[in-house]
mmCIF file of all heavy atoms in Angstrom:
data_model
loop_
_atom_site.group_PDB
_atom_site.id
_atom_site.type_symbol
_atom_site.label_atom_id
_atom_site.label_comp_id
_atom_site.label_asym_id
_atom_site.label_seq_id
_atom_site.Cartn_x
_atom_site.Cartn_y
_atom_site.Cartn_z
ATOM 1 N N CYS X 1 14.782 29.326 45.752
ATOM 2 C CA CYS X 1 15.811 29.149 44.723
ATOM 3 C C CYS X 1 16.038 27.681 44.381
ATOM 4 O O CYS X 1 16.820 27.372 43.480
ATOM 5 C CB CYS X 1 17.119 29.798 45.154
ATOM 6 S SG CYS X 1 17.869 29.070 46.640
ATOM 7 N N MET X 2 15.381 26.770 45.111
ATOM 8 C CA MET X 2 15.491 25.332 44.876
ATOM 9 C C MET X 2 16.937 24.845 44.952
ATOM 10 O O MET X 2 17.369 24.014 44.151
ATOM 11 C CB MET X 2 14.899 24.956 43.495
ATOM 12 C CG MET X 2 13.450 25.322 43.332
ATOM 13 S SD MET X 2 12.390 24.467 44.521
ATOM 14 C CE MET X 2 10.771 25.130 44.120
ATOM 15 N N ASP X 3 17.669 25.371 45.915
ATOM 16 C CA ASP X 3 19.074 24.999 46.058
ATOM 17 C C ASP X 3 19.322 24.503 47.477
ATOM 18 O O ASP X 3 18.590 24.841 48.409
ATOM 19 C CB ASP X 3 19.971 26.205 45.754
ATOM 20 C CG ASP X 3 21.405 25.803 45.465
ATOM 21 O OD1 ASP X 3 21.681 24.589 45.443
ATOM 22 O OD2 ASP X 3 22.250 26.698 45.251
ATOM 23 N N THR X 4 20.364 23.683 47.626
ATOM 24 C CA THR X 4 20.753 23.182 48.942
ATOM 25 C C THR X 4 21.747 24.149 49.568
ATOM 26 O O THR X 4 22.756 24.494 48.953
ATOM 27 C CB THR X 4 21.375 21.787 48.832
ATOM 28 O OG1 THR X 4 20.416 20.906 48.222
ATOM 29 C CG2 THR X 4 21.744 21.252 50.201
ATOM 30 N N LYS X 5 21.459 24.584 50.780
ATOM 31 C CA LYS X 5 22.282 25.571 51.474
ATOM 32 C C LYS X 5 22.775 24.990 52.792
ATOM 33 O O LYS X 5 22.169 24.089 53.362
ATOM 34 C CB LYS X 5 21.479 26.848 51.740
ATOM 35 C CG LYS X 5 20.919 27.524 50.492
ATOM 36 C CD LYS X 5 21.990 28.211 49.692
ATOM 37 C CE LYS X 5 21.382 28.992 48.520
ATOM 38 N NZ LYS X 5 22.405 29.752 47.776
ATOM 39 N N THR X 6 23.881 25.570 53.274
ATOM 40 C CA THR X 6 24.382 25.178 54.582
ATOM 41 C C THR X 6 23.544 25.843 55.664
ATOM 42 O O THR X 6 22.766 26.771 55.397
ATOM 43 C CB THR X 6 25.855 25.580 54.732
ATOM 44 O OG1 THR X 6 25.970 27.014 54.617
ATOM 45 C CG2 THR X 6 26.716 24.919 53.671
ATOM 46 N N ALA X 7 23.717 25.383 56.885
ATOM 47 C CA ALA X 7 22.929 25.919 58.003
ATOM 48 C C ALA X 7 23.196 27.407 58.198
ATOM 49 O O ALA X 7 22.294 28.173 58.546
ATOM 50 C CB ALA X 7 23.253 25.145 59.274
ATOM 51 N N SER X 8 24.434 27.843 57.969
ATOM 52 C CA SER X 8 24.768 29.260 58.152
ATOM 53 C C SER X 8 24.161 30.141 57.070
ATOM 54 O O SER X 8 24.045 31.351 57.253
ATOM 55 C CB SER X 8 26.290 29.447 58.161
ATOM 56 O OG SER X 8 26.859 28.996 56.944
ATOM 57 N N GLU X 9 23.760 29.566 55.933
ATOM 58 C CA GLU X 9 23.175 30.330 54.839
ATOM 59 C C GLU X 9 21.658 30.391 54.923
ATOM 60 O O GLU X 9 21.029 31.073 54.114
ATOM 61 C CB GLU X 9 23.570 29.708 53.495
ATOM 62 C CG GLU X 9 25.047 29.792 53.176
ATOM 63 C CD GLU X 9 25.404 29.075 51.879
ATOM 64 O OE1 GLU X 9 24.945 27.926 51.695
ATOM 65 O OE2 GLU X 9 26.138 29.664 51.069
ATOM 66 N N MET X 10 21.048 29.721 55.880
ATOM 67 C CA MET X 10 19.593 29.695 56.009
ATOM 68 C C MET X 10 19.109 30.810 56.924
ATOM 69 O O MET X 10 19.815 31.236 57.839
ATOM 70 C CB MET X 10 19.138 28.344 56.542
ATOM 71 C CG MET X 10 19.479 27.175 55.623
ATOM 72 S SD MET X 10 18.750 27.316 53.980
ATOM 73 C CE MET X 10 17.004 27.109 54.376
ATOM 74 N N PHE X 11 17.898 31.297 56.646
ATOM 75 C CA PHE X 11 17.289 32.372 57.421
ATOM 76 C C PHE X 11 16.468 31.782 58.558
ATOM 77 O O PHE X 11 15.674 30.867 58.348
ATOM 78 C CB PHE X 11 16.400 33.232 56.523
ATOM 79 C CG PHE X 11 15.537 34.216 57.278
ATOM 80 C CD1 PHE X 11 16.086 35.333 57.874
ATOM 81 C CD2 PHE X 11 14.169 33.995 57.390
ATOM 82 C CE1 PHE X 11 15.277 36.228 58.558
ATOM 83 C CE2 PHE X 11 13.369 34.883 58.072
ATOM 84 C CZ PHE X 11 13.933 36.006 58.659
ATOM 85 N N GLU X 12 16.667 32.309 59.737
ATOM 86 C CA GLU X 12 15.904 31.863 60.902
ATOM 87 C C GLU X 12 14.912 32.945 61.287
ATOM 88 O O GLU X 12 15.291 34.022 61.747
ATOM 89 C CB GLU X 12 16.845 31.567 62.069
ATOM 90 C CG GLU X 12 16.133 31.028 63.304
ATOM 91 C CD GLU X 12 17.089 30.712 64.433
ATOM 92 O OE1 GLU X 12 18.303 30.890 64.249
ATOM 93 O OE2 GLU X 12 16.613 30.289 65.497
ATOM 94 N N ASN X 13 13.631 32.681 61.066
ATOM 95 C CA ASN X 13 12.581 33.653 61.338
ATOM 96 C C ASN X 13 12.190 33.591 62.809
ATOM 97 O O ASN X 13 11.429 32.725 63.226
ATOM 98 C CB ASN X 13 11.369 33.382 60.448
ATOM 99 C CG ASN X 13 10.310 34.460 60.585
ATOM 100 O OD1 ASN X 13 10.549 35.506 61.188
ATOM 101 N ND2 ASN X 13 9.142 34.220 60.032
ATOM 102 N N THR X 14 12.729 34.499 63.588
ATOM 103 C CA THR X 14 12.409 34.554 65.017
ATOM 104 C C THR X 14 11.095 35.273 65.288
ATOM 105 O O THR X 14 10.620 35.269 66.416
ATOM 106 C CB THR X 14 13.539 35.257 65.775
ATOM 107 O OG1 THR X 14 13.734 36.586 65.235
ATOM 108 C CG2 THR X 14 14.848 34.480 65.651
ATOM 109 N N SER X 15 10.498 35.896 64.252
ATOM 110 C CA SER X 15 9.241 36.630 64.437
ATOM 111 C C SER X 15 8.022 35.733 64.295
ATOM 112 O O SER X 15 6.917 36.133 64.612
ATOM 113 C CB SER X 15 9.150 37.772 63.419
ATOM 114 O OG SER X 15 10.255 38.636 63.535
ATOM 115 N N SER X 16 8.202 34.525 63.796
ATOM 116 C CA SER X 16 7.075 33.625 63.569
ATOM 117 C C SER X 16 7.506 32.196 63.886
ATOM 118 O O SER X 16 8.685 31.894 63.966
ATOM 119 C CB SER X 16 6.599 33.728 62.113
ATOM 120 O OG SER X 16 5.551 32.816 61.868
ATOM 121 N N VAL X 17 6.516 31.334 64.078
ATOM 122 C CA VAL X 17 6.797 29.932 64.391
ATOM 123 C C VAL X 17 6.293 29.026 63.274
ATOM 124 O O VAL X 17 5.994 27.865 63.506
ATOM 125 C CB VAL X 17 6.135 29.536 65.729
ATOM 126 C CG1 VAL X 17 6.796 30.253 66.877
ATOM 127 C CG2 VAL X 17 4.631 29.840 65.712
ATOM 128 N N CYS X 18 6.230 29.557 62.037
ATOM 129 C CA CYS X 18 5.705 28.755 60.925
ATOM 130 C C CYS X 18 6.674 27.645 60.549
ATOM 131 O O CYS X 18 6.243 26.602 60.059
ATOM 132 C CB CYS X 18 5.422 29.644 59.721
ATOM 133 S SG CYS X 18 6.883 30.440 59.005
ATOM 134 N N GLY X 19 7.963 27.840 60.709
ATOM 135 C CA GLY X 19 8.940 26.793 60.457
ATOM 136 C C GLY X 19 9.362 26.624 59.019
ATOM 137 O O GLY X 19 10.131 25.715 58.711
ATOM 138 N N HIS X 20 8.890 27.476 58.093
ATOM 139 C CA HIS X 20 9.309 27.347 56.696
ATOM 140 C C HIS X 20 10.753 27.829 56.549
ATOM 141 O O HIS X 20 11.135 28.867 57.090
ATOM 142 C CB HIS X 20 8.380 28.154 55.789
ATOM 143 C CG HIS X 20 6.991 27.600 55.732
ATOM 144 N ND1 HIS X 20 5.893 28.287 56.216
ATOM 145 C CD2 HIS X 20 6.529 26.408 55.279
ATOM 146 C CE1 HIS X 20 4.806 27.557 56.047
ATOM 147 N NE2 HIS X 20 5.167 26.407 55.481
ATOM 148 N N MET X 21 11.532 27.043 55.791
ATOM 149 C CA MET X 21 12.961 27.298 55.669
ATOM 150 C C MET X 21 13.281 27.894 54.300
ATOM 151 O O MET X 21 12.917 27.335 53.260
ATOM 152 C CB MET X 21 13.742 25.997 55.861
ATOM 153 C CG MET X 21 13.539 25.357 57.219
ATOM 154 S SD MET X 21 14.274 26.320 58.558
ATOM 155 C CE MET X 21 16.005 26.107 58.189
ATOM 156 N N TYR X 22 13.956 29.048 54.309
ATOM 157 C CA TYR X 22 14.432 29.690 53.089
ATOM 158 C C TYR X 22 15.820 30.254 53.360
ATOM 159 O O TYR X 22 16.167 30.564 54.501
ATOM 160 C CB TYR X 22 13.491 30.816 52.642
ATOM 161 C CG TYR X 22 12.076 30.353 52.393
ATOM 162 C CD1 TYR X 22 11.077 30.549 53.347
ATOM 163 C CD2 TYR X 22 11.734 29.714 51.200
ATOM 164 C CE1 TYR X 22 9.786 30.113 53.130
ATOM 165 C CE2 TYR X 22 10.437 29.279 50.976
ATOM 166 C CZ TYR X 22 9.469 29.483 51.944
ATOM 167 O OH TYR X 22 8.192 29.051 51.727
ATOM 168 N N CYS X 23 16.604 30.418 52.299
ATOM 169 C CA CYS X 23 17.956 30.942 52.490
ATOM 170 C C CYS X 23 17.909 32.455 52.688
ATOM 171 O O CYS X 23 16.943 33.123 52.314
ATOM 172 C CB CYS X 23 18.851 30.570 51.306
ATOM 173 S SG CYS X 23 18.443 31.403 49.754
ATOM 174 N N SER X 24 18.968 33.002 53.241
ATOM 175 C CA SER X 24 19.022 34.432 53.566
ATOM 176 C C SER X 24 18.972 35.292 52.312
ATOM 177 O O SER X 24 18.365 36.373 52.316
ATOM 178 C CB SER X 24 20.303 34.725 54.361
ATOM 179 O OG SER X 24 20.305 34.020 55.581
ATOM 180 N N ASP X 25 19.576 34.846 51.210
ATOM 181 C CA ASP X 25 19.560 35.635 49.981
ATOM 182 C C ASP X 25 18.149 35.799 49.448
ATOM 183 O O ASP X 25 17.757 36.898 49.018
ATOM 184 C CB ASP X 25 20.443 34.961 48.922
ATOM 185 C CG ASP X 25 21.920 34.989 49.293
ATOM 186 O OD1 ASP X 25 22.299 35.863 50.098
ATOM 187 O OD2 ASP X 25 22.679 34.146 48.791
ATOM 188 N N CYS X 26 17.366 34.742 49.455
ATOM 189 C CA CYS X 26 15.991 34.821 48.950
ATOM 190 C C CYS X 26 15.104 35.671 49.858
ATOM 191 O O CYS X 26 14.260 36.435 49.379
ATOM 192 C CB CYS X 26 15.415 33.420 48.800
ATOM 193 S SG CYS X 26 16.196 32.445 47.477
ATOM 194 N N ILE X 27 15.273 35.557 51.165
ATOM 195 C CA ILE X 27 14.492 36.370 52.100
ATOM 196 C C ILE X 27 14.851 37.841 51.947
ATOM 197 O O ILE X 27 13.980 38.723 52.019
ATOM 198 C CB ILE X 27 14.721 35.901 53.548
ATOM 199 C CG1 ILE X 27 14.100 34.514 53.754
ATOM 200 C CG2 ILE X 27 14.135 36.887 54.546
ATOM 201 C CD1 ILE X 27 12.596 34.474 53.618
ATOM 202 N N ARG X 28 16.129 38.131 51.707
ATOM 203 C CA ARG X 28 16.560 39.519 51.509
ATOM 204 C C ARG X 28 15.850 40.128 50.303
ATOM 205 O O ARG X 28 15.337 41.256 50.357
ATOM 206 C CB ARG X 28 18.072 39.574 51.320
ATOM 207 C CG ARG X 28 18.625 41.005 51.196
ATOM 208 C CD ARG X 28 20.102 41.003 50.889
ATOM 209 N NE ARG X 28 20.863 40.321 51.924
ATOM 210 C CZ ARG X 28 21.471 39.163 51.764
ATOM 211 N NH1 ARG X 28 21.416 38.531 50.599
ATOM 212 N NH2 ARG X 28 22.156 38.620 52.756
ATOM 213 N N GLY X 29 15.788 39.416 49.193
ATOM 214 C CA GLY X 29 15.090 39.913 48.008
ATOM 215 C C GLY X 29 13.587 40.011 48.215
ATOM 216 O O GLY X 29 12.951 40.949 47.731
ATOM 217 N N HIS X 30 13.016 39.057 48.938
ATOM 218 C CA HIS X 30 11.573 39.068 49.217
ATOM 219 C C HIS X 30 11.178 40.285 50.044
ATOM 220 O O HIS X 30 10.211 40.987 49.728
ATOM 221 C CB HIS X 30 11.192 37.777 49.943
ATOM 222 C CG HIS X 30 9.791 37.740 50.452
ATOM 223 N ND1 HIS X 30 8.691 37.657 49.613
ATOM 224 C CD2 HIS X 30 9.295 37.791 51.727
ATOM 225 C CE1 HIS X 30 7.575 37.650 50.343
ATOM 226 N NE2 HIS X 30 7.911 37.726 51.622
ATOM 227 N N VAL X 31 11.948 40.561 51.079
ATOM 228 C CA VAL X 31 11.650 41.705 51.946
ATOM 229 C C VAL X 31 11.827 43.022 51.188
ATOM 230 O O VAL X 31 10.987 43.932 51.292
ATOM 231 C CB VAL X 31 12.556 41.670 53.190
ATOM 232 C CG1 VAL X 31 12.440 42.972 53.974
ATOM 233 C CG2 VAL X 31 12.179 40.491 54.084
ATOM 234 N N ALA X 32 12.901 43.149 50.409
ATOM 235 C CA ALA X 32 13.158 44.391 49.670
ATOM 236 C C ALA X 32 12.030 44.681 48.676
ATOM 237 O O ALA X 32 11.621 45.841 48.511
ATOM 238 C CB ALA X 32 14.494 44.288 48.942
ATOM 239 N N ALA X 33 11.500 43.645 48.019
ATOM 240 C CA ALA X 33 10.409 43.833 47.067
ATOM 241 C C ALA X 33 9.137 44.306 47.769
ATOM 242 O O ALA X 33 8.423 45.178 47.257
ATOM 243 C CB ALA X 33 10.151 42.531 46.311
#
């Protein structure tokens, strides 16, 4: 979304160690699609 988010709004991927940071809203839409 190209937006600045707080730490609580970011998604933490515990299933992988890739380290890419995305917000929870964008990950929610990505997974649903």
Side-chain angles (χ1 to χ4, degrees):
C1 63
M2 301 298 178
D3 198 3
T4 301
K5 301 287 185 176
T6 61
S8 60
E9 294 176 313
M10 298 301 292
F11 170 72
E12 183 179 359
N13 186 11
T14 58
S15 303
S16 177
V17 292
C18 64
H20 293 115
M21 299 291 292
Y22 302 100
C23 69
S24 298
D25 293 337
C26 292
I27 291 295
R28 184 185 301 111
H30 172 70
V31 170

